[in-house]
Amino acid sequence: QVQLVESGGGLVQPGGSLRLSCAASGSISGFSFMGWSRQSPGKQRESVGLLWSNGPTSVPDSVKGRFTIWRDSSKNTVYLQMNNLKPEDTATYYCSLSRREGAEVKQYWGQGTQVTVSS
């Protein structure tokens, strides 16, 4: 069983920065990818960063140049650095891990951390 715990959210002014952390407990060996998604009220959840187990990362165009995802494997932690934040980045941010377990692909989610960008 995998547990994901996000931290680092908060209130920040436009143009500011935040670093989100996702600490994974339990065995995460064999995962396919980890990622960050966000969801604001009335909107669909959208991916804002993916990190594959063999190293490559990707972020969507909407946050490219502002968001960076990386992993500290020694700490089983995935980070999302968010710079030049905008009011439209306000959302609950979720960490996830996807892994094949037997015949199925399981996806684990954290409880989310709130990011509010406002002056």
Side-chain angles (χ1 to χ4, degrees):
Q1 190 73 6
V2 174
Q3 289 189 325
L4 304 173
V5 179
E6 303 100 332
S7 61
L11 173 65
V12 63
Q13 292 187 340
S17 297
L18 282 176
R19 178 178 295 181
L20 306 183
S21 301
C22 172
S25 61
S27 174
I28 66 168
S29 63
F31 76 92
S32 301
F33 63 85
M34 296 184 71
W36 287 94
S37 302
R38 68 185 180 187
Q39 188 168 24
S40 52
K43 294 188 177 180
Q44 287 189 331
R45 188 171 295 192
E46 64 168 334
S47 173
V48 291
L50 289 174
L51 182 151
W52 277 266
S53 60
N54 60 346
T57 63
S58 71
V59 295
D61 289 344
S62 58
V63 302
K64 194 166 290 184
R66 300 190 299 122
F67 289 14
T68 305
I69 182 172
W70 78 98
R71 175 188 170 211
D72 184 338
S73 57
S74 68
K75 297 180 180 179
N76 266 4
T77 300
V78 173
Y79 300 94
L80 185 71
Q81 178 69 39
M82 307 185 293
N83 298 326
N84 190 22
L85 283 160
K86 305 176 181 181
E88 53 263 41
D89 295 318
T90 295
T92 301
Y93 285 70
Y94 298 90
C95 175
S96 65
L97 179 147
S98 181
R99 180 172 67 186
R100 176 169 292 279
E101 297 181 359
E104 62 177 320
V105 175
K106 292 196 72 173
Q107 193 148 18
Y108 298 90
W109 292 90
Q111 82 288 350
T113 186
Q114 178 66 37
V115 171
T116 302
V117 184
S118 175
S119 55

